[in-house]
Amino acid sequence: MKWMRTVSSVILVAVLAGCSQGTDTKDSTENVPTKNEITSEPITLTLYQHAAISNEEIDKFIVKPVQKKYPNISFNIVRKGTGTNPEDLVAAGIVPDLIYTTDANTPLWRELDVPEDLSALIKSNNFDLSRFDSNAIDAVKVYSGGKGAIYALPVAQNIAALLYNKDIFDKFAVPYPKDGMNWDEIIQLARKVTKTENGVRYIGLSPDTVSRLGYGLSLPYVDPATNKAAINNDNWKKVLTTMKEMIDIPGFLGEDKKITYGSSDFFKNGNIAMLTAWVPDMIASTDPSIADKIPWDFVSLPNYPEAIGTGRIITPHTIMLNKQSKYKNEAFQVMSIFTSDEVQAELSKSGKISALAKTDFQTQYGANVPYLQGKNISGIFKSKTRPINDPLTEYDALVRSALDAAAKELAAGKDVNTALREAEEKANKAIEEKAK
């Protein structure tokens, strides 16, 4: 394929030659586009893959739509891997023109002084941000520093749902879960289908991590005034109490003390009654040959009673422009095409969730994924995305890690108050170490 070269997990020196066509190490102030002129000369833009997207998806949603309008533009694809991490490329003085990443990775790229503030290009191109899910744009702005800059455009988003195995509910004569349920109701259902029968252990619910349970309330992790963990409070206590109620269901824990399971376990083993999962990630990781092995369906993601109708915080995938690129106008046109209605409609049909606000895409969702036909697709979208937790800090990931580790302490029999207090203590020690 002459239009695209792919580099993955290779020695950095080999990558640099592939990146050099579309980048320039001069200060970006010398390379600010003054007019929206698009070259007709052949050029190669380097796209760095920093979030999950396959070569086939890059071809379908970026390369072919761009070349349809701009046949002079070709692409060089660099994938994150050994020797090609962001820090490696930046240290070598060469960074790709475009970066496919996530909103949460924006601070990393900001620290590396990579992203272009798109504000000027958005204005000069009359690019309409109101087309996007407002939570997605707000998330990008917050991760961009909250001072008016916008360092990326949202492309797709993750929405979570509850999958359930109809066979298990039928076996134990228990009603299926429904859209709009709260966690207490789901836990009651899980109690009824967590059993061992004829040597088979049936697990009523795989709840995901503690931090993702907290996504349902958009809870902050750190007090920015003190840079101390802010989790030993009633809100996080509610989250850990919910997790403990799940863990304490008789028969929930096996000898391995495993708490959470993945979609591959759900489909292959056939012994998990309910599973929370990011839907696009589930589709991307599921082997189509096993996707119909069991009869299953979706319902909307459960939440706490006060937050019913919403799911998890929004987590958009984004595309970013390198401030050192020689081809900023051309790169921005790529971004515009990637976020066009036409491309976003195809993206939605393929199982990714559009970052645009247009509800038409929801009715088309998964149309090109055979095993989704007949499923309760509308249920996925009944739990609306929530705004991200605010404020954000550079220490959030450390606190999330301590919270998720607390689930193991709960499984070992520790009470919620102790587990939460110790998680905060561990998080603060980790923050102190990072601050040094």
Side-chain angles (χ1 to χ4, degrees), residues 119-302:
S119 300
L121 283 163
I122 289 169
K123 183 177 180 180
S124 64
N125 284 273
N126 294 316
F127 188 81
D128 185 6
L129 292 181
S130 70
R131 297 170 54 245
F132 293 84
D133 183 309
S134 59
N135 282 338
I137 292 294
D138 288 346
V140 169
K141 288 181 176 178
V142 170
Y143 278 112
S144 297
K147 296 180 180 179
I150 180 164
Y151 287 129
L153 292 179
V155 177
Q157 59 179 306
N158 257 333
I159 293 181
L162 185 77
L163 283 65
Y164 66 95
N165 183 331
K166 294 181 178 180
D167 272 351
I168 297 176
F169 283 88
D170 291 342
K171 181 180 183 66
F172 298 115
V174 175
Y176 299 153
K178 299 180 295 185
D179 293 329
M181 298 183 79
N182 63 49
W183 282 122
D184 290 339
E185 293 169 325
I186 291 297
I187 290 169
Q188 292 307 312
L189 281 183
R191 292 181 191 280
K192 296 176 182 178
V193 290
T194 302
K195 299 176 182 287
T196 298
E197 188 170 289
N198 297 325
V200 178
R201 178 171 160 248
Y202 295 97
I203 301 161
L205 172 67
S206 176
D208 220 322
T209 63
V210 170
S211 60
R212 286 178 178 168
L213 276 175
Y215 284 175
L217 295 174
S218 302
L219 300 179
Y221 301 97
V222 175
D223 180 351
T226 62
N227 280 335
K228 298 284 188 181
I231 57 175
N232 193 6
N233 54 51
D234 288 344
N235 283 328
W236 278 109
K237 182 177 179 180
K238 176 188 293 187
V239 174
L240 264 71
T241 299
T242 301
M243 175 63 86
K244 184 164 178 58
E245 288 175 356
M246 296 173 181
I247 291 171
D248 286 349
I249 294 172
F252 175 85
L253 290 174
E255 293 181 1
D256 58 2
K257 303 296 182 183
K258 189 172 182 178
I259 298 171
T260 61
Y261 298 82
S263 56
S264 60
D265 297 311
F266 178 81
F267 290 110
K268 286 181 181 178
N269 301 333
N271 67 326
I272 299 170
M274 294 179 286
L275 170 83
T276 59
W278 294 114
V279 177
D281 287 356
M282 180 275 292
I283 293 170
S285 63
T286 298
D287 182 347
S289 67
I290 67 167
D292 283 326
K293 184 178 178 181
I294 59 172
W296 64 278
D297 208 342
F298 295 109
V299 293
S300 61
L301 186 73

Side-chain angles (χ1 to χ4, degrees), residues 26-34 95-99 106 109-110 112-122 124 140 144 148-153 319-329 331-332 335:
K26 295 179 182 179
D27 188 273
S28 66
T29 58
E30 300 177 22
N31 192 25
V32 176
T34 56
V95 177
D97 302 273
L98 291 163
I99 299 147
T106 304
W109 291 102
R110 285 173 55 204
L112 296 172
D113 195 28
V114 168
E116 171 83 6
D117 181 356
L118 300 174
S119 300
L121 283 163
I122 289 169
S124 64
V140 169
S144 297
I150 180 164
Y151 287 129
L153 292 179
I319 190 162
M320 184 181 293
L321 171 61
N322 172 23
K323 68 196 299 184
Q324 303 295 344
S325 174
K326 292 190 297 183
Y327 303 114
K328 292 183 181 180
N329 282 325
F332 190 78
M335 301 168 83

Side-chain angles (χ1 to χ4, degrees), residues 159-164 177-181 277 279 296-303 308-312 353 362-365 372 374-385:
I159 293 181
L162 185 77
L163 283 65
Y164 66 95
K178 299 180 295 185
D179 293 329
M181 298 183 79
V279 177
W296 64 278
D297 208 342
F298 295 109
V299 293
S300 61
L301 186 73
N303 208 340
I308 292 298
T310 65
R312 293 176 178 171
I353 297 174
Q362 297 178 9
T363 60
Q364 302 170 14
Y365 184 73
L372 292 184
K375 297 292 189 288
N376 177 32
I377 298 299
S378 65
I380 299 170
F381 300 100
K382 288 181 180 176
S383 290
K384 307 300 182 184
T385 57

